Amino acid sequence: MENVLRPLLVVGGSLVITLLVGWLVDLLLRRADDRHHETPVWGLLRRCRPPLQLVLCTALLRASYGQLRLEIVREHRPGISQVLTLVLIAASAWLVVRVAATVVQSSYARYATGTRDPARVRRVRTQVTLIQRVVTAVVATVAVAAMLLTFPAMRTVGTSMLASAGVLGIVAGVAAQSTLGNLFAGFQIAFGDMVRIGDTVVVDGEWGTVEEITLTFLAVRTWDERRITMPVSYFTSKPFENWSRGGAQMTGTVFLQLDHSAPVSAMRDKLREILGECAAWDGRDWSLAVTDTTPSTIQVRAVVTAKDADDIWTVRCAVREQLIGWLRDHHPYALPRIVTSPAALPPGDHWRELTGAEPVRPSADTWSADLDKAPRTGRG
């Protein structure tokens, strides 16, 4: 009977204590979260409940499994102790990573809530993300090393490896030169404020938004939902465009190639009307001017503004589309074209319905005379 009750008491008691402590900790965190709404740290700490329970249960079992007094436990005592130790180390590392992530995320959340500058928020987010990854990597490395050192054979290997640590360090440094370069470039990007998560960048002719920054690579999400993954060392060694640097506000241009007879003043009035109806325009500035001329056309530039890169694209497309449509419908002569032959007249019956008169087809001499009188600009 004792062989049955003792294992139940040891194992069952460990589980009951684990569940009870986990419930009490969660209850205290919920009450603290209800009292302190200004900080999310208490609510985020509730995510640490699973690793905390695993650490507690493993520690209780490791401390009390010797009381089982079972033959199978006595025979495999070293193996059971080794397994429980490994689980305890891994669970402790998991708990440390969760606590560190909770503290980092709560700090970022409070900063983002109290700061109105989006650029600073993106900078802190980038730094916080990299710090969290560094802490995770360090804790994981220490945990793996501690787990390996629990094996007696690994202790002997570790002692012999210390004697040749200098040579191994040189070899590893040469072999991992590229990786180490990316690692230090990641720190330079995070704390040098070169590029941040959420920035709009142009890299190798590709326009997109920085979606993720790690210690070794950077991911850019393009406008068509593609992901470009690049080593972070690229951004410290080559030039790139950062449209969000110094603020997210953008100024965009729309260029139109028009005939010399284009009504520029009327186009300014129409541009003002278009921008007034465009929700993406931020109202900061606009202008329209003739910036260049050629023997056959003039170049008209419209300047518009918006609060970010996405809106400036929308405003530019809307201005370009509506201005061309307005010119086509009201001032078709302003659009450049090359005339190579006389225009075909509509059929007689259709012409009578439109004008009430018979169509008159000009002779070749009449066409040549009319062509001589027509403006030469923009026509061949």
Side-chain angles (χ1 to χ4, degrees):
M1 189 67 176
E2 183 180 359
N3 293 336
V4 176
L5 291 178
R6 190 177 292 273
L8 288 177
L9 288 176
V10 172
V11 178
S14 300
L15 293 177
V16 169
I17 293 175
T18 300
L19 294 176
L20 181 60
V21 171
W23 178 78
L24 288 176
V25 170
D26 188 68
L27 179 62
L28 293 175
L29 291 176
R30 278 188 295 176
R31 290 184 176 180
D33 189 35
D34 293 337
R35 293 178 181 178
H36 304 281
H37 297 285
E38 70 279 1
T39 174
V41 65
W42 305 111
L44 293 174
L45 280 175
R46 296 180 62 190
R47 301 178 184 178
C48 302
R49 180 180 175 182
L52 175 63
Q53 290 179 317
L54 182 58
V55 169
L56 181 61
C57 184
T58 307
L60 291 174
L61 289 176
R62 191 178 185 281
S64 60
Y65 80 96
Q67 304 297 325
L68 293 178
R69 296 181 182 178
L70 297 176
E71 187 65 26
I72 187 172
V73 174
R74 294 173 182 173
E75 293 178 357
H76 300 87
R77 185 183 182 91
I80 296 175
S81 176
Q82 184 74 18
V83 170
L84 291 176
T85 301
L86 294 177
V87 174
L88 182 60
I89 294 174
S92 301
W94 184 18
L95 179 60
V96 172
V97 170
R98 276 289 181 91
V99 172
T102 298
V103 173
V104 169
Q105 291 178 9
S106 63
S107 301
Y108 167 73
R110 294 185 64 181
Y111 184 84
T113 303
T115 305
R116 297 182 179 181
D117 188 356
R120 291 186 178 180
V121 173
R122 291 197 303 270
R123 180 181 61 188
V124 173
R125 180 186 175 188
T126 302
Q127 295 174 353
V128 161
T129 302
L130 288 180
I131 291 174
Q132 183 176 341
R133 293 181 185 275
V134 170
V135 171
T136 302
V138 171
V139 172
T141 302
V142 172
V144 171
M147 293 170 70
L148 291 177
L149 291 177
T150 59
F151 297 93
M154 291 302 299
R155 296 176 186 174
T156 306
V157 174
T159 304
S160 62
M161 287 179 64
L162 288 175
S164 58
V167 178
L168 291 176
I170 296 174
V171 174
V174 174
Q177 182 178 3
S178 176
T179 303
L180 292 176
N182 283 326
L183 179 63
F184 288 112
F187 283 107
Q188 186 176 352
I189 285 177
F191 297 97
D193 199 22
M194 298 175 58
V195 62
R196 298 152 297 195
I197 296 175
D199 281 2
T200 301
V201 297
V202 178
V203 181
D204 280 346
E206 294 285 351
W207 180 90
T209 304
V210 178
E211 187 176 51
E212 183 180 7
I213 299 178
T214 68
L215 294 176
T216 55
F217 71 88
L218 187 147
V220 178
R221 176 173 53 85
T222 61
W223 64 273
D224 54 355
E225 302 298 331
R226 291 180 292 117
R227 266 68 175 180
I228 302 176
T229 302
M230 310 184 71
V232 292
S233 59
Y234 175 92
F235 293 86
T236 59
S237 59
K238 296 183 179 180
F240 65 95
E241 296 183 27
N242 189 342
W243 290 10
S244 302
R245 180 78 175 179
Q249 295 177 339
M250 297 288 297
T251 299
T253 57
V254 176
F255 290 97
L256 300 175
Q257 301 293 332
L258 303 175
D259 189 86
H260 286 81
S261 58
V264 178
S265 299
M267 290 179 63
R268 288 194 183 95
D269 298 335
K270 184 60 180 179
L271 176 60
R272 185 189 300 108
E273 178 184 342
I274 293 172
L275 293 176
E277 299 174 355
C278 184
W281 181 54
D282 62 357
R284 286 190 298 119
D285 192 16
W286 69 275
S287 65
L288 187 141
V290 178
T291 57
D292 198 5
T293 180
T294 67
S296 58
T297 61
I298 60 173
Q299 179 177 266
V300 178
R301 185 190 69 180
V303 177
V304 293
T305 59
K307 64 181 179 62
D308 54 32
D310 291 334
D311 282 356
I312 199 64
W313 175 264
T314 303
V315 176
R316 291 173 63 193
C317 292
V319 168
R320 186 183 298 109
E321 177 183 346
Q322 296 186 40
L323 271 182
I324 292 179
W326 177 74
L327 290 173
R328 180 198 60 219
D329 296 337
H330 299 85
H331 304 277
Y333 59 87
L335 299 176
R337 58 173 54 85
I338 298 176
V339 179
T340 58
S341 63
L345 294 177
D349 295 340
H350 183 60
W351 179 260
R352 294 189 190 93
E353 294 177 0
L354 293 176
T355 63
E358 292 292 335
V360 179
R361 297 187 178 274
S363 62
D365 296 338
T366 305
W367 165 254
S368 299
D370 292 341
L371 187 60
D372 292 337
K373 297 178 182 179
R376 295 293 182 179
T377 301
R379 294 170 174 84

